[in-house]
Amino acid sequence: MKTYFPIILFIIAVICGCSSEIEFTPVTPPPTNDNSDLLISEISTAINTDANAAGTRPHYVEIYNGTSANVDLTSYAIGYMASTDANTLVNWAFPTGNFFLLSTSIAKGKCYVIASPQADATVIKSDVTWGTTSSTNANASVPLQLSGNSAIALLKKDAAGTIMLSGSAYKIIDVFGSPQVARVTSTGSSSARNNFMWTVAGEVADTRNRTFFRKATVHNPTTDWAKAKGTTVADSEWQISADRAWDYTNLGLPTK
């Protein structure tokens, strides 16, 4: 017994010195792909005097709910603001008639489409129409005339917001185009209205007759149009159809 006594003491010391606690390295759960809020997911621009437009205004704005829940649209609005030259930079402004208060709700994973009343309803399937019914080209400041120089804002009610619409405070959460970002003069066909446009995804010739799709990799709305429009196909948040090759196959469906 004496022979094994030192060994027994050593084993007891080892056992007493050990802790019964087992440490685990925390595992971070994988991020979700849910969007942080509603965003503008698709836009169609067209010069209605263009022969391919057949005298209609196939203009629309699609809103996508990529969040994890249904969203009450009564907290949101759409604003419209046209630019009249290439370089004048001004703040957003939405006089009466240039904003549209949304209603109803939008289910998660679904889209909501606001179209011009002059769009061909057999082609442009919309949830609601908004804008002028006049066919005149004289006043581009009136919505919903999207011809490359017209900016769209998605606004949300916010007590700290600085934009007042019908007595309620809103803030802009997402944009397509911006009066605070310079335009360029299009080198495409002339227009009875104007030839100004924003370059998008590296397209510098003409973006006035296109369908624009928000990339599926975009999960957050943004007010930074200069960054969102990008300078190349790779860094833009948007992908675009070919010139005068409007693509309505994804209209009303989740963003591509």
Side-chain angles (χ1 to χ4, degrees), residues 147-218:
S147 300
N149 70 314
S150 304
I152 292 292
L154 175 61
L155 302 98
K156 185 177 183 179
K157 284 183 179 178
D158 189 317
T162 58
I163 297 175
M164 299 300 296
L165 305 178
S166 295
S168 296
Y170 285 77
K171 69 175 181 180
I172 296 174
I173 63 169
D174 199 24
V175 299
F176 181 91
S178 171
Q180 299 170 330
V181 176
R183 284 70 58 193
V184 299
T185 301
S186 170
T187 57
S189 64
S190 62
S191 164
R193 288 180 50 190
N194 61 61
N195 295 319
F196 306 116
M197 63 169 209
W198 287 280
T199 60
V200 181
E203 176 55 63
V204 297
D206 201 339
T207 59
R208 297 171 301 159
N209 293 283
R210 310 268 185 161
T211 308
F212 298 80
F213 309 95
R214 201 73 168 269
K215 291 179 179 177
T217 52
V218 178

Side-chain angles (χ1 to χ4, degrees), residues 109-178:
K110 299 297 183 180
C111 298
Y112 188 84
V113 179
I114 305 103
S116 164
Q118 296 186 63
D120 184 345
T122 64
V123 177
I124 308 300
K125 306 295 184 180
S126 66
D127 295 283
V128 66
T129 60
W130 171 52
T132 181
T133 57
S134 172
S135 60
T136 181
N137 301 311
N139 189 0
S141 66
V142 178
L144 184 62
Q145 302 178 74
L146 303 174
S147 300
N149 70 314
S150 304
I152 292 292
L154 175 61
L155 302 98
K156 185 177 183 179
K157 284 183 179 178
D158 189 317
T162 58
I163 297 175
M164 299 300 296
L165 305 178
S166 295
S168 296
Y170 285 77
K171 69 175 181 180
I172 296 174
I173 63 169
D174 199 24
V175 299
F176 181 91
S178 171

Side-chain angles (χ1 to χ4, degrees), residues 10-54:
F10 174 78
I11 293 173
I12 293 173
V14 170
I15 293 174
C16 292
C18 292
S19 171
S20 61
E21 295 182 359
I22 301 176
E23 295 185 359
F24 293 94
T25 301
V27 177
T28 303
T32 66
N33 289 325
D34 292 333
N35 291 4
S36 62
D37 209 326
L38 302 184
L39 53 74
I40 301 169
S41 52
E42 190 170 321
I43 289 258
S44 176
T45 63
I47 302 170
N48 67 308
T49 54
D50 189 283
N52 288 20

Side-chain angles (χ1 to χ4, degrees), residues 36-89:
S36 62
D37 209 326
L38 302 184
L39 53 74
I40 301 169
S41 52
E42 190 170 321
I43 289 258
S44 176
T45 63
I47 302 170
N48 67 308
T49 54
D50 189 283
N52 288 20
T56 66
R57 286 193 171 101
H59 303 161
Y60 62 83
V61 179
E62 180 190 82
I63 306 300
Y64 173 58
N65 178 12
T67 71
S68 60
N70 299 343
V71 173
D72 181 2
L73 285 177
T74 60
S75 294
Y76 295 82
I78 289 290
Y80 171 94
M81 186 172 178
S83 298
T84 57
D85 62 36
N87 298 310
T88 300
L89 304 183

